[in-house]
Amino acid sequence: MIKKTTPVLLEVKAVSNAIPKPSKKANWYKSGDYLDYIARHEATRGIEFSTEEIIQLQSKKANAWKKYNYSLKQKKTLLESLSENHDVYTSIKKAIWDESFKDYKQTLLDLTSTKELHTGVFDLKGEISRKEMYFKKKAFNKIVDDQLIWSGVISFSEDFMNEHQIFSGKEFHKIVSRNLKKLMIQNELNPKQMETAISFHKNTDNTHFHFAFFEKYPTKYNNETKQKEFRKTFMLNLNSMRELEINIESDIKSNMEVFDDLFQSRDELRAAYKTTHNNFQEVFEDLILTKKPLSSNLLKCYRSVKKIKSKNNNLTFGSKNLSKKDKNNLLNLTTIYLENNPALNDKYLEFLEINKNVAKKQFDLFFESYSDSDFVKSKYPNLDKIELYNLTNLNDEELQWDYKFDLSDPIEFLKFKNNEFINENIFHKNENGIYEGILVQIGNELLEDVEYMTLPTLRKNQPTSFKTDNTFNSTDNYSFVDWKKNKDEYSINKFIDEVQYLSTQKAREIQYLIDTKDKQLTKQIN
């Protein structure tokens, strides 16, 4: 396990009235007393303060403690003489306390008087309301003897918290819940099938989180009894717990990094798509009607996506009706569009560059924590940090979002984390099996446009020396000049075709009128 010098400490225990042996503490959870304990107001302080308010309160409290300790020294002789008179001794100390903390208490009262009181208890989705707490307690009341409850405490050192200044329960919930889900999945527990309670406590020098989770219903099928049972394996994987500590430490540190540029770039790219998607068909027609080697692959992807979309109007990237092959086709279609539309390409490349820098910062923070663990040092005792870091570089194949790494090996695990940081804002599948990232967001919008598109087919005399693989290199991109030239040529040819068509139609109409008039004259003569 991680040494106790680390800023994040994790302790997890499993209890049950039957597994591995009866535990009296199991009744503490079943009765709902555990929920009452983690929800008590003096611990959760169920009020959200701004960073400025927290700094103000910290300053007032520090001054109060100084004043209190100074007053005790001043009254030391008096207090020692009254040590045998407990009541008087206690009342004097209380008076000193009240006077010392008077300013702090008044400030706290002023700040809290206009704020909404929260329960301070969360599940994996977010904070639980008072009404939801009632049903959460009912769920705990239904715990049976052979049902395991995993309970733990995540504690942060005072120096660590003072350095990173995160005091909001909601901020911590985002970090802790995300990593708890990973812990569950790594131990073959489905987060959606788990009843969870989490509470952020600020009543001690060491800020800490309490958490408990258990299965909502039996999930493991027993071949002998032909019935589903509750899980009986109570030990959690040690590596998964080690990773939880390191991930939370890394996430808290990276929470202080500036991600505004990345999110702003993402939003600008999405906005640019919304304002330019009307030329969606024109861009693809330009690609089809030129000699670019993308044409054949583009048509293949388009037809596949169009076909599946016509069968399911509500289709999205995450739909079960979309096969892995169809998802790849939609992903390729989205990538082609972003890389070959001059109105979007610059913003897309800018987003990728910013994402690369942010991902590196995240990985570097994670690497610093993980590389210092005893586990890594025992596996690779002869490698220094620089050598270890160089071994985490990813090749083209390892950069793929779905590449499979050997997570039991520290270097492979570091590569996995590197891959995860790079792809999480581009394209990835989260712990709940939901696809996320900018390519998913734009891909879903492309699906709506594809439904109304009609692309031309390749002519028989059109060159067929096209690439058939799904690899799109930067050499496939148009320059703006080439794209504009192709667009102008296509537009001119299209205009000429339309004029010729309209001229022919008009000529036919005139000829029809002439023929009709001739017939009428012939009838009159006869």
Side-chain angles (χ1 to χ4, degrees):
M1 291 297 291
I2 301 296
K3 295 178 180 179
K4 291 191 176 182
T5 53
T6 55
V8 181
L9 292 174
L10 171 68
E11 181 185 6
V12 184
K13 293 181 180 179
V15 297
S16 165
N17 267 333
I19 307 168
K21 60 183 180 180
S23 170
K24 292 181 180 179
K25 199 168 185 178
N27 292 324
W28 187 47
Y29 297 93
K30 180 179 174 63
S31 65
D33 289 345
Y34 171 80
L35 280 178
D36 292 336
Y37 171 74
I38 66 171
R40 66 194 193 280
H41 176 64
E42 65 270 21
T44 63
R45 300 178 193 169
I47 296 174
E48 291 294 326
F49 292 107
S50 67
T51 302
E52 292 77 14
E53 290 169 338
I54 289 167
I55 293 171
Q56 182 184 3
L57 286 172
Q58 283 183 322
S59 176
K60 295 282 185 182
K61 193 173 184 179
N63 289 335
W65 273 110
K66 288 179 182 178
K67 188 174 181 180
Y68 176 69
N69 290 325
Y70 177 78
S71 297
L72 284 180
K73 288 180 181 179
Q74 293 293 101
K75 304 286 186 181
K76 183 178 179 181
T77 304
L78 175 63
L79 289 171
E80 287 177 349
S81 67
L82 296 170
S83 59
E84 295 182 3
N85 191 334
H86 179 72
D87 292 340
V88 177
Y89 177 85
T90 303
S91 64
I92 291 176
K93 281 196 71 174
K94 185 179 184 305
I96 295 173
W97 173 275
D98 291 341
E99 180 61 30
S100 301
F101 280 81
K102 183 179 180 180
D103 188 29
Y104 167 74
K105 288 180 179 178
Q106 186 59 50
T107 304
L108 183 61
L109 182 63
D110 292 341
L111 290 175
T112 57
S113 60
T114 58
K115 291 182 179 289
E116 181 185 354
L117 186 65
H118 298 266
T119 62
V121 179
F122 302 79
D123 59 13
L124 292 177
K125 295 179 181 178
E127 188 170 14
I128 299 170
S129 67
R130 294 190 175 279
K131 184 178 180 180
E132 289 168 332
M133 273 291 287
Y134 170 81
F135 294 104
K136 180 67 70 173
K137 188 171 285 190
K138 289 291 183 184
F140 272 72
N141 294 156
K142 293 179 182 178
I143 294 173
V144 296
D145 287 349
D146 63 344
Q147 197 168 355
L148 282 165
I149 307 113
W150 289 271
S151 176
V153 179
I154 301 171
S155 181
F156 310 94
S157 70
E158 186 177 8
D159 290 342
F160 182 71
M161 291 314 303
N162 287 339
E163 179 183 354
H164 296 287
Q165 295 290 317
I166 302 178
F167 295 92
S168 165
K170 289 182 180 178
E171 283 186 83
F172 264 120
H173 171 262
K174 291 177 184 177
I175 294 171
V176 173
S177 62
R178 179 171 65 242
N179 287 294
L180 270 181
K181 287 178 186 177
K182 290 181 180 178
L183 175 76
M184 293 173 185
I185 292 170
Q186 288 171 337
N187 287 277
E188 299 181 358
L189 295 168
N190 186 339
K192 293 181 180 180
Q193 297 172 345
M194 307 303 291
E195 195 71 59
T196 311
I198 312 168
S199 184
F200 173 53
H201 284 192
K202 297 164 275 189
N203 61 323
T204 65
D205 290 339
N206 294 92
T207 301
H208 57 281
F209 249 108
H210 289 272
F211 66 88
F213 55 87
F214 56 89
E215 291 175 298
K216 295 178 180 178
Y217 43 80
T219 60
K220 299 293 181 182
Y221 186 76
N222 188 319
N223 290 321
E224 294 181 4
T225 62
K226 307 299 181 184
Q227 292 181 336
K228 285 188 176 181
E229 300 176 342
F230 287 108
R231 174 176 168 144
K232 290 183 170 57
T233 306
F234 65 93
M235 286 294 293
L236 296 180
N237 181 277
L238 289 177
N239 287 338
S240 69
M241 290 194 287
R242 182 187 297 111
E243 184 186 342
L244 179 70
E245 287 182 314
I246 295 171
N247 280 343
I248 289 175
E249 179 187 349
S250 174
D251 285 352
I252 290 173
K253 287 179 177 177
S254 65
N255 193 63
M256 301 304 293
E257 297 292 331
V258 178
F259 294 100
D260 290 348
D261 289 347
L262 177 65
F263 299 141
Q264 183 179 342
S265 176
R266 176 199 62 194
D267 293 342
E268 287 177 354
L269 178 57
R270 291 187 66 185
Y273 173 82
K274 290 179 183 294
T275 58
T276 62
H277 78 111
N278 290 329
N279 69 351
F280 176 85
Q281 180 159 337
E282 288 185 26
V283 172
F284 278 163
E285 283 179 344
D286 289 337
L287 291 170
I288 295 295
L289 296 173
T290 61
K291 297 179 181 181
K292 298 298 293 182
L294 287 174
S295 303
S296 179
N297 203 18
L298 173 63
L299 276 175
K300 178 183 176 182
C301 295
Y302 162 75
R303 287 167 182 160
S304 172
V305 173
K306 174 98 171 176
K307 182 179 179 181
I308 192 72
K309 175 65 177 176
S310 66
K311 295 178 181 178
N312 188 340
N313 191 48
N314 297 320
L315 194 70
T316 65
F317 212 107
S319 299
K320 293 181 179 178
N321 296 330
L322 206 62
S323 67
K324 184 176 180 180
K325 181 180 178 181
D326 292 324
K327 283 185 173 68
N328 284 333
N329 283 327
L330 177 56
L331 186 61
N332 288 342
L333 201 65
T334 306
T335 306
I336 292 172
Y337 185 63
L338 289 172
E339 289 181 347
N340 293 281
N341 186 342
L344 295 179
N345 182 249
D346 286 346
K347 291 191 178 298
Y348 180 53
L349 293 177
E350 178 187 4
F351 171 82
L352 292 180
E353 184 63 26
I354 294 173
N355 180 74
K356 178 183 176 182
N357 294 333
V358 170
K360 186 179 185 307
K361 289 179 183 178
Q362 289 179 291
F363 177 72
D364 288 350
L365 285 168
F366 181 85
F367 178 84
E368 281 301 313
S369 299
Y370 187 74
S371 60
D372 282 335
S373 68
D374 293 337
F375 177 65
V376 175
K377 290 178 179 178
S378 64
K379 281 277 188 177
Y380 298 101
N382 298 322
L383 288 179
D384 60 30
K385 275 195 173 184
I386 296 175
E387 291 172 326
L388 182 64
Y389 188 89
N390 290 336
L391 291 173
T392 65
N393 293 327
L394 303 174
N395 58 39
D396 289 342
E397 186 179 1
E398 291 168 336
L399 276 169
Q400 300 301 310
W401 72 273
D402 56 350
Y403 186 85
K404 302 298 181 185
F405 295 90
D406 178 10
L407 301 185
S408 64
D409 178 74
I411 292 176
E412 283 283 293
F413 178 72
L414 283 167
K415 285 188 174 184
F416 162 73
K417 294 301 295 185
N418 199 0
N419 175 294
E420 186 177 56
F421 290 131
I422 290 170
N423 287 307
E424 64 180 347
N425 289 302
I426 300 174
F427 181 86
H428 82 121
K429 188 160 65 171
N430 69 17
E431 59 271 9
N432 294 322
I434 298 171
Y435 290 93
E436 294 178 332
I438 190 65
L439 294 182
V440 175
Q441 294 166 355
I442 292 181
N444 283 333
E445 296 184 45
L446 276 177
L447 271 174
E448 300 301 316
D449 290 330
V450 162
E451 187 175 359
Y452 304 103
M453 279 180 59
T454 303
L455 291 186
T457 57
L458 288 172
R459 296 185 295 273
K460 289 183 179 179
N461 61 347
Q462 191 166 338
T464 56
S465 57
F466 303 127
K467 290 189 294 184
T468 57
D469 60 75
N470 291 334
T471 304
F472 306 109
N473 299 317
S474 57
T475 53
D476 295 328
N477 296 347
Y478 281 110
S479 68
F480 182 80
V481 174
D482 290 339
W483 184 86
K484 192 75 172 63
K485 181 181 177 182
N486 288 329
K487 181 176 176 59
D488 290 343
E489 288 178 357
Y490 174 70
S491 297
I492 292 169
N493 291 332
K494 186 177 180 181
F495 175 75
I496 293 172
D497 289 342
E498 287 176 351
V499 171
Q500 288 177 340
Y501 173 77
L502 290 173
S503 299
T504 303
Q505 283 290 97
K506 200 66 179 174
R508 286 176 180 173
E509 289 176 6
I510 293 171
Q511 187 62 48
Y512 175 78
L513 290 173
I514 293 172
D515 292 342
T516 303
K517 199 69 174 174
D518 286 344
K519 288 180 181 179
Q520 290 175 348
L521 289 172
T522 302
K523 284 183 180 180
Q524 289 177 359
I525 293 171
N526 293 332

